[in-house]
Amino acid sequence: MKLSEILRQFGNAVTNHSLTSNPDHDPEITGVAGIDEASNGTLSYVEGAKFGSFVAKTNASALILPQDEKLQVLAQERGIVWLTTPEPRLLFAKAIALFYQPYRPIPEIHPTAVIHSTAKVGNDVYIGPHAVIQQRVEIGDGAIIHPNVVIYPDAKIGDRTTLHANCTIHERTRIGADCVIHSGAVIGAEGFGFVPIQTGWFKMEQSGYTVLEDGVEVGCNSGIDRPAVGETRVGRNTVIDSLVQIGHGCKIGSGCAIAGQVGMAGGVQLGNRVILAGQTGIVNQVKMGDGAMTSAQTGIHSDVAPGEVVCGSPAIPYKLYLKVCAVYSRLPDMYQSLKQLQRKFKDSPGD
C-alpha cells in the first residue's frame, strides 16, 4: 500500500510528515522491518537521536521518527520518506498490525475434542484436535482453544480468550475476556503448600482459586498457582513473559509487566504498573508499590515503595546501586592499596 494510505490509517498519531512538502514522493510500502535490516519498500522506525547513525545507512523506503528535526533533515537528504510521532515504537507496532495478523482458526469443534456433556461452550468458538474440556467448564463467545489444551472441571474462560496448544487450565480457574495463554503455561495448579512434621512434610490441600482478569497475557511454560485458601489474582492488562513462576496467593495489579524467569513466592503483592526485569526473585509476603521497577537479577527481600527502582541482591535503590558498582570495579586496586598500607605499618618502627 502507498505510504499516504498508511498515514490515513494512523490518523492523529502522526504529527508531521514529508509528504506535506513533497506529495509526489509517495512510495509503495510492502512490509515492515528493523532499521538495520530494512530494504527497499519497507517501513522502519527509530526511537531517538542516539539512533541517528542508522538513519544514515538504512535501506528503508520510509521511517517513523521522533519529533527531531535533525533526524528529519538526515532522512530527507537520503531521499527517505518520513513521518513523526511522539511515540515511534508504538506507531511501529501499529504498522506491523497492518501487514500481519496472527493465525486465527475458523470457529469449529474438531471431532477428536473431548467435551463433557455438562460443559457450556459459547458461540463462534474454535476447539482444536484432542482438546479436553471437563465437567462444568464454561467457555465464552469467540474463544479459541488450540490442540491438546486441557481444561479441568469448573474452570471459566472468558469471551475471545485464546488458549494456545498444550497449555493446562486447572480446576475452578477464572480467566477473563481477551486473555492469551501461550503454549505450555499452567494456570491454577496446586501451590507449593507443605507443613513440616517430624517425619517429613504434610501436604496442605490447595482449595483456593486462580483469577486472571481481562486482557492478561501469559507466556510459554509459565506457572500461576492457586493457594490453600482465597485466591491468586492477576490484574487486567498485565503481561507475563515465558518461564515465570507466580506462587500461591500472589496479588498482582493491573498493567504490570513481568519478564522471563521471574519467580515470586507465595503472598507477594504487586501494585499497578509494576515492572519486573528478567530473573527477578521475590520472597514471600513482600509488597511492591505502584510503578515500582527492578533491574535484571534483582533479589527482593523487603517491601519496595511506590515508584522506586531497585537493583542487586539483596535489592537496594538504583542510585545507590550505581555507586556500589563503581566501587566494586575498583576493589582490586583498593585491595592492593590496603596491602601496601599494611606492609608500611608493619615495617614502620614502633612508638
Side-chain angles (χ1 to χ4, degrees), residues 291-295 304-305 307-311 316-319:
M293 298 175 60
T294 73
S295 66
V304 178
E308 188 169 11
V309 181
V310 294
C311 312
I316 56 176
Y318 173 67
K319 291 183 179 180

Side-chain angles (χ1 to χ4, degrees), residues 45-297:
Y45 82 108
V46 294
E47 286 196 83
K50 66 179 181 179
F51 301 105
S53 61
F54 288 102
V55 178
K57 58 187 179 183
T58 185
N59 293 317
S61 292
L63 287 174
I64 299 171
L65 300 176
Q67 295 168 310
D68 185 317
E69 290 187 5
K70 291 182 179 179
L71 291 179
Q72 296 168 27
V73 170
L74 181 58
Q76 194 92 18
E77 290 174 347
R78 296 205 57 227
I80 300 173
V81 180
W82 53 266
L83 53 94
T84 62
T85 179
E87 298 182 276
R89 190 163 181 256
L90 175 60
L91 199 62
F92 185 67
K94 294 180 179 180
I96 293 174
L98 296 178
F99 293 93
Y100 167 78
Q101 288 294 319
Y103 167 66
R104 185 177 180 86
I106 297 172
E108 66 170 352
I109 297 177
H110 194 274
T112 63
V114 179
I115 303 174
H116 196 273
S117 61
T118 60
K120 297 180 181 179
V121 178
N123 299 318
D124 300 322
V125 170
Y126 170 80
I127 300 179
H130 305 291
V132 178
I133 316 297
Q134 297 187 357
Q135 298 95 316
R136 299 174 299 279
V137 167
E138 297 182 16
I139 299 175
D141 296 341
I144 297 175
I145 314 297
H146 282 286
N148 298 321
V149 168
V150 177
I151 306 178
Y152 280 60
D154 300 302
K156 295 183 179 181
I157 312 300
D159 295 345
R160 300 173 302 282
T161 282
T162 297
L163 306 181
H164 282 284
N166 300 303
C167 72
T168 303
I169 312 302
H170 280 258
E171 59 199 68
R172 295 177 293 120
T173 294
R174 304 289 187 261
I175 298 179
D178 302 303
C179 293
V180 179
I181 312 299
H182 286 279
S183 297
V186 179
I187 312 299
E190 293 181 343
F192 192 60
F194 296 88
V195 180
I197 57 176
Q198 189 173 6
T199 57
W201 300 90
F202 182 84
K203 182 179 179 67
M204 180 182 290
E205 296 297 344
Q206 306 294 290
S207 68
Y209 295 78
T210 296
V211 180
L212 275 56
E213 297 180 3
D214 295 348
V216 170
E217 183 152 344
V218 181
C220 296
N221 297 314
S222 289
I224 305 176
D225 294 345
R226 71 178 187 266
V229 293
E231 64 180 27
T232 301
R233 179 174 288 268
V234 179
R236 62 185 295 117
N237 297 323
T238 282
V239 290
I240 299 168
D241 199 359
S242 300
L243 298 171
V244 170
Q245 166 62 28
I246 298 176
H248 54 276
C250 289
K251 304 290 190 298
I252 297 174
S254 62
C256 295
I258 301 173
Q261 297 186 351
V262 165
M264 58 185 77
V268 169
Q269 295 185 36
L270 306 185
N272 301 323
R273 304 176 307 283
V274 171
I275 298 176
L276 303 180
Q279 295 188 336
T280 293
I282 310 178
V283 303
N284 61 310
Q285 306 301 324
V286 161
K287 298 178 181 179
M288 296 184 66
D290 292 351
M293 298 175 60
T294 73
S295 66
Q297 297 187 326

